[in-house]
Amino acid sequence: MDGSTIATLHVNGRRIGLGCIAFYAELEPSISVSEQNLADRVRYIMRSNIFDVAELERLRREAVPSSNESMLWLELRLHKLQSTPQTWKPPWIPVVVDSNDDGIVSQELELEHMRSILEEAIVETRSTPLENRLRLPRIPPSKRNRAVVRALNPMLVTYLEASRDLCETDSILFGAALAVCRIIGAKLPTAGRATGRSSAIPAWRIRIEERIAKARALIGRLICFRSGNNRPRIVRTVRMAFAGTNVSLSQPDIAQKLTERIDDLKQKIAAWGKRIRRFTERSRRFNQNRLFQSDQKRFYKSLERPKVCGAGQAPDQADIVAFWRGLWSEPVNHSEGPWMEVVASQCASVTPMDPVTITPEDVAEAVRRAPNWKSPGLDGLHHYWVKGFIVCHVGTSLPPG
């Protein structure tokens, strides 16, 4: 970028805005710049003293003869730019952040466009099933991204106040996170999370099963050759099976060599199968131990074997009604044993536990300690977004990251 060309844009010691961009576009049509870029270059030229005062004054006079005329020209250019339809406008507006404001979104940001993106993302999230939501990417912790999150916070108040339950609040936060990703231009997958999931079978088991399948196919061809099948494909496979050995297909003891090779392959298949069972059992024990530590109810429920229902004739509806009516409709007088009195006397001296009240501060503290990009649950919402959208935990001010 030519320093003298940029110096001509420094009129009265301040930026002129879109007019300067249009002016520079006419001077240098092959280079595309932004307003912030021009301002940074002008600030660098003025601080580094590349041009002296006389040179700057000469450039200013050559570029703009009069300050009034320059302002009028720039206003006309700005009006022309605003009145011309912008067909090249992308689906989202990049955020303009002033580096001197420590990440605060500039006043020049088009908040209305951001609000429309937010509303569209929330509507889209509400109409999408939970398992078909997009996979949100990790965004870098830059000032620009944090500024976008802070800018959307006041827009979420209306949606959160009208939320009826926790599921709707979760969909609102996910929609806001989706809007942030679209505003900053983050790459989003075109399909849902269900299509991006890996196979449930681990890779080590797939490799071992492929070895077993190849060994079984080789055993079949060796048996065919031993029984007298001399087709070219069979003969070629047998030669490859004995490659690197001194075994020849024309030697008299070839039948014994084939039998030894078949037995060797069968032993390998048995060893591989035992390895799969051992690894599977180890993985099952590991998952059960982890489930027992996190949720004992689910652990014990997983141990229950489902009952196999018979395929016979279903019971009569009248018999079912009579059976359950005899259990629930007829009053029964229960006689409690003496042990109930003993238990009641022992529990009389126990002080009841105080009621547990969860405050917004407790929730905010728990969220603050959570990792930003830990693998999310079924809703697909990372802790980063719960931290960043502070309007969902009232009375706190927690910056994201």
Side-chain angles (χ1 to χ4, degrees), residues 156-168:
L156 293 176
V157 176
T158 306
Y159 297 98
L160 294 175
E161 288 178 351
S163 177
R164 295 168 302 204
D165 51 15
L166 189 59
C167 295
E168 189 172 353

Side-chain angles (χ1 to χ4, degrees), residues 63-74:
V64 214
S66 172
S67 61
N68 294 331
E69 294 179 0
S70 65
M71 293 301 296
L72 180 60
W73 181 85
L74 289 173

Side-chain angles (χ1 to χ4, degrees), residues 89 93 107-115:
K89 193 172 185 180
I93 298 297
Q107 296 297 328
E108 300 173 2
L109 183 65
E110 295 188 6
L111 296 178
E112 291 298 328
H113 192 76
M114 291 181 62
R115 187 174 287 105

Side-chain angles (χ1 to χ4, degrees), residues 80-271:
K80 181 179 180 181
L81 286 173
Q82 291 176 349
S83 60
T84 304
Q86 304 293 332
T87 57
W88 49 268
K89 193 172 185 180
W92 51 76
I93 298 297
V95 179
V96 181
V97 178
D98 192 351
S99 58
N100 297 327
D101 294 339
D102 192 21
I104 302 299
V105 180
S106 174
Q107 296 297 328
E108 300 173 2
L109 183 65
E110 295 188 6
L111 296 178
E112 291 298 328
H113 192 76
M114 291 181 62
R115 187 174 287 105
S116 64
I117 295 178
L118 174 62
E119 183 177 358
E120 181 182 354
I122 291 177
V123 172
E124 177 184 345
T125 304
R126 286 175 176 174
S127 60
T128 304
L130 197 64
E131 62 274 6
N132 293 338
R133 286 182 178 178
L134 296 176
R135 185 185 298 274
L136 295 177
R138 296 185 180 185
I139 62 174
S142 62
K143 292 183 178 180
R144 175 174 176 265
N145 297 342
R146 288 196 294 266
V148 177
V149 174
R150 280 195 291 266
L152 291 185
N153 265 288
M155 304 180 188
L156 293 176
V157 176
T158 306
Y159 297 98
L160 294 175
E161 288 178 351
S163 177
R164 295 168 302 204
D165 51 15
L166 189 59
C167 295
E168 189 172 353
T169 301
D170 179 80
S171 65
I172 293 172
L173 295 180
F174 189 90
L178 182 61
V180 172
C181 294
R182 289 176 176 174
I183 291 173
I184 66 176
K187 186 177 180 181
L188 291 169
T190 56
R193 289 175 293 156
T195 58
R197 292 177 181 173
S198 60
S199 174
I201 303 176
W204 59 266
R205 181 166 182 170
I206 295 177
R207 290 194 298 268
I208 296 177
E209 289 178 350
E210 289 177 353
R211 295 177 192 171
I212 293 175
K214 292 179 180 179
R216 286 175 176 171
L218 182 57
I219 289 174
R221 299 209 172 180
L222 292 177
I223 293 176
C224 290
F225 182 79
R226 189 177 59 179
S227 62
N229 190 343
N230 294 326
R231 295 173 60 184
R233 182 181 299 178
I234 300 296
V235 174
R236 185 168 58 250
T237 304
V238 174
R239 287 177 179 173
M240 292 176 60
F242 289 103
T245 63
N246 295 325
V247 179
S248 175
L249 301 184
S250 59
Q251 62 188 34
D253 59 343
I254 186 61
Q256 181 182 357
K257 296 296 183 181
L258 289 172
T259 304
E260 293 176 356
R261 181 61 174 164
I262 290 172
D263 292 340
D264 182 49
L265 291 174
K266 288 182 178 179
Q267 292 178 7
K268 286 185 177 181
I269 291 175

Side-chain angles (χ1 to χ4, degrees), residues 303-370:
L303 296 180
E304 299 177 358
R305 295 183 178 179
K307 296 182 180 180
V308 180
C309 299
Q313 185 178 2
D316 186 41
Q317 183 177 2
D319 297 338
I320 297 176
V321 173
F323 174 79
W324 288 108
R325 182 174 293 161
L327 293 178
W328 299 105
S329 299
E330 299 177 2
V332 179
N333 296 324
H334 298 280
S335 59
E336 303 293 349
W339 61 273
M340 288 293 297
E341 299 178 358
V342 178
V343 174
S345 62
Q346 292 177 355
C347 295
S349 59
V350 177
T351 305
M353 185 179 65
D354 296 334
V356 178
T357 304
I358 301 177
T359 62
E361 289 75 14
D362 297 334
V363 176
E365 180 64 20
V367 171
R368 186 184 66 84
R369 296 176 179 272

